[in-house]
Amino acid sequence: MTNDEAMKIRYFFFIVTVVLASCGGVDEKPVTNDKPIEPKVEVPVFNQDSAYSYIESQVAFGPRVTGTEVSDKCAAWLTAKLSQWMDTVAVQKGKVVAYDNTGLNIKNIIGSYLPGNNNRIFLCSHWDSRPYADYDPDKANHRKPIDGANDGASGVGVLLEIARIISTVKPKIGIDIIFFDAEDYGTPGDLQDQTHKEDTWGLGSQFWAKSLHESGYYARYGILLDMVGAENAQFHQEGFSKYYAPDIVRKVWETARSAGFSDYFVMTEGNPITDDHYYINKIANIPTIDIIHTEPGTRGGFFTHWHTMGDTMDKINKNTLYAVGQSLLHVIYGEK
Ligand code: AHN
Ligand code: ZN
């Protein structure tokens, strides 16, 4: 090759290099995500058989009507179960006035994981059973107490299973599990028009919200479970939850749906319901949502056997328990 040819070749490569360099100049930075990549959190598996057995145990005591001997026995059992798994357990005792002006001795039971951690949430459910099957088709049953397998025991069963899991796979945030007494002691249906008494439901949560079990108690938010065990249950986005805690509703429903439970956690707005979370929002000012099975078209607006003698163990469905429990685990282990 002549000198001239060699120069031409060198010149050619010089031009190619310049062109390539200038082309790459615009977006030369290596491709990165804006957010740092976070390690994927391991979410433990919810055991619906275990939750089911905790519901069975409660129902086996008989109706857990506030202030009765059966109620005392069940309270002792719940306290023992929570003590097995949580760091601390407190029983908040109180006296409240019922719809008929009788005094009721109540027990709210609170288990705490990482009690010293200010970054915390709580999960709750009522553990009492309604003294009156006032929605039973047979009028003769309207003053009989109910088993409350779904209305009461189901939420507690799911939360006991979560307590057990928390003790084996440690979440990053603090968690309280609260069982409220006397939620279901509200005025019987046939007396509603005669006794104009406000706020006869949620007596345990009202007591707790006014006089927290620990002075200065703080939680970022709360989640209430109510009737979370019936087959094909649907959880509409309850009205007070959307009003007081819209971000938590969004977070929980999005989490549940992306975990595969969109048949249960539906995107429709439900009516506002005077449940424990209402008093927690109003009195204690902690944004709290209610995951509650409502059913437009039924007489009470809830699941078919609501406040009837038919709210029994055979109405409990393990797939529903799994949907709720696994969704809650995704929420808990996704928090930091
Ligand atoms: C009312 O019917 C006003 N509140 C019902 C709340 C409830 C009862 N949840 C379970 N049992
Ligand atoms: Zn009830």
Side-chain angles (χ1 to χ4, degrees), residues 38-44 172 330 333-335:
E38 290 185 30
K40 222 171 137 37
V41 275
E42 285 297 326
V43 178
K172 292 195 186 75
H330 274 92
Y333 289 87
E335 288 293 359

Side-chain angles (χ1 to χ4, degrees), residues 109-164:
I109 305 166
I110 305 114
S112 300
Y113 164 73
L114 300 183
N117 195 339
N118 271 333
N119 178 18
R120 60 196 308 105
I121 65 171
F122 70 84
L123 312 169
C124 57
S125 203
H126 78 90
W127 70 275
D128 62 307
S129 342
R130 178 147 181 79
Y132 316 115
D134 52 352
Y135 267 74
D136 198 274
D138 185 351
K139 210 169 171 252
N141 291 328
H142 286 194
R143 285 295 184 278
K144 290 183 187 163
I146 66 168
D147 269 3
N150 195 30
D151 190 357
S154 68
V156 172
V158 167
L159 294 184
L160 283 174
E161 171 57 5
I162 285 175
R164 188 191 68 78

Side-chain angles (χ1 to χ4, degrees), residues 291-304:
I291 300 177
I292 182 167
H293 176 178
T294 49
E295 219 170 286
T298 61
R299 203 155 67 88
F302 300 104
F303 90 119
T304 312

Side-chain angles (χ1 to χ4, degrees), residues 303-336:
F303 90 119
T304 312
H305 305 280
W306 183 70
H307 293 183
T308 73
M309 300 305 282
D311 184 359
T312 45
M313 203 56 212
D314 54 305
K315 310 306 186 313
I316 301 298
N317 180 279
K318 289 183 182 176
N319 296 327
T320 307
L321 299 176
Y322 177 71
V324 174
Q326 194 61 62
S327 296
L328 283 180
L329 290 178
H330 274 92
V331 171
I332 291 168
Y333 289 87
E335 288 293 359
K336 47 186 184 309

